[in-house]
Amino acid sequence: MRLLVLADSLAFHGPAGPLPANDPRLWPNLAAAELGGRAELAAGFGWTAREAWWALTGDPRVWAELADADVLVLAVGSMDTLPSPLPTYLRQGLRYLRPEGLRRAARRGYVAAQPWLARALGGRPVALPPRLTVHHLDESLRAVRALRPGLPVVGIVPSVHRAPAYAGVHTGHAEAVRAVRTWAAEADVPLLDLPTLVGPHLRAGQGNPDGMHWGWSAHRKVATELVDLIRKNLPDLSVSDLT
């Protein structure tokens, strides 16, 4: 059993920070181990459905893994819902500012202003509007089904947060959840319900201090539910694949 997981930092970030993709405590690896296989992770900080689409269509390492995958997990969409006071191209462009002192000052200023702007603008705009999240998820699905018609695909319901960096604002979440659920129902893609699984964990302060990423108990819970979802909704997989 080989899981190919396209994801954001929720897949490789633990209670104390980011980790190598092969850390056995991360939910993709826990799920793959329970299924008797391994996970291949393509992910990045802040990845939205758009970055997953770019990886799927532009990264030859992902192409290689896609050819041998038994299940594709599209674990993106959560970061799409976050407040993004600056347009993405400007926010991401801060890293290219020179000289170094200017870059650091601009970055500090943006980090300091972000919570205030998230409140002042009511959480709008979001990093990626729901219609574009669904567009990129659907394009990814169409591409995969053209190349690997029988490959099972699993998605996620966008996760929640209580991050001070965004002043706890998450007004774009509900609309994104509705859009993703509607798309998944029409596309016949089973969804892993992240808000139900990790919401209480985050609200209880049991995750990373950043209020967004998870502790190990949440990683285990997500992994267990992913395995159950695969077993219940992907009956075309052989019994030997699931042991």
Side-chain angles (χ1 to χ4, degrees):
M1 166 65 69
R2 298 178 70 168
L3 299 182
L4 174 57
V5 182
L6 299 182
D8 50 44
S9 57
L10 296 176
F12 62 85
H13 211 289
L19 294 159
N22 64 350
D23 191 293
R25 298 169 293 179
L26 297 170
W27 67 261
N29 300 321
L30 289 169
E34 190 171 342
L35 291 167
R38 64 185 180 89
E40 295 296 335
L41 177 65
F45 291 103
W47 269 26
T48 65
R50 178 169 51 199
E51 279 74 29
W53 163 247
W54 287 343
L56 189 64
T57 58
D59 189 335
R61 296 168 299 178
V62 174
W63 304 344
E65 292 301 331
L66 184 62
D68 295 324
D70 296 300
V71 178
L72 172 64
V73 183
L74 291 173
V76 288
S78 298
M79 301 302 164
D80 309 37
T81 69
L82 297 177
S84 182
L86 281 183
T88 300
Y89 69 91
L90 289 178
R91 185 180 70 253
Q92 294 185 347
L94 293 176
R95 72 184 75 178
Y96 299 110
L97 287 176
R98 294 293 183 272
E100 185 175 343
L102 175 62
R103 176 179 60 78
R104 289 180 175 177
R107 177 64 180 167
R108 285 196 301 268
Y110 179 73
V111 170
Q114 184 173 263
W116 182 87
L117 290 171
R119 285 193 300 267
L121 298 176
R124 307 289 182 176
V126 293
L128 197 67
R131 63 179 179 81
L132 292 181
T133 296
V134 166
H135 169 76
H136 289 295
L137 288 173
D138 198 55
E139 288 294 296
S140 297
L141 183 65
R142 289 175 182 272
V144 168
R145 286 180 172 170
L147 294 170
R148 293 281 314 276
L151 180 65
V153 178
V154 174
I156 58 107
V157 178
S159 187
V160 291
H161 78 84
R162 56 187 294 275
Y166 298 96
V169 176
H170 207 184
T171 51
H173 183 257
E175 184 181 353
V177 168
R178 287 193 295 271
V180 169
R181 285 193 182 278
T182 299
W183 165 77
E186 294 173 350
D188 194 25
V189 173
L191 295 178
L192 189 64
D193 191 344
L194 292 184
T196 297
L197 293 172
V198 306
H201 174 86
L202 291 172
R203 289 191 292 272
Q206 297 172 346
N208 188 286
D210 66 10
M212 182 177 300
H213 298 96
W214 314 331
W216 296 127
S217 63
H219 276 270
R220 290 192 295 271
K221 191 169 187 178
V222 168
T224 298
E225 290 298 320
L226 176 59
V227 170
D228 288 346
L229 189 68
I230 289 173
R231 286 176 168 154
K232 291 175 182 176
N233 292 278
L234 305 176
D236 291 340
L237 290 176
S238 67
V239 173
S240 61
D241 285 333
L242 297 175
T243 58

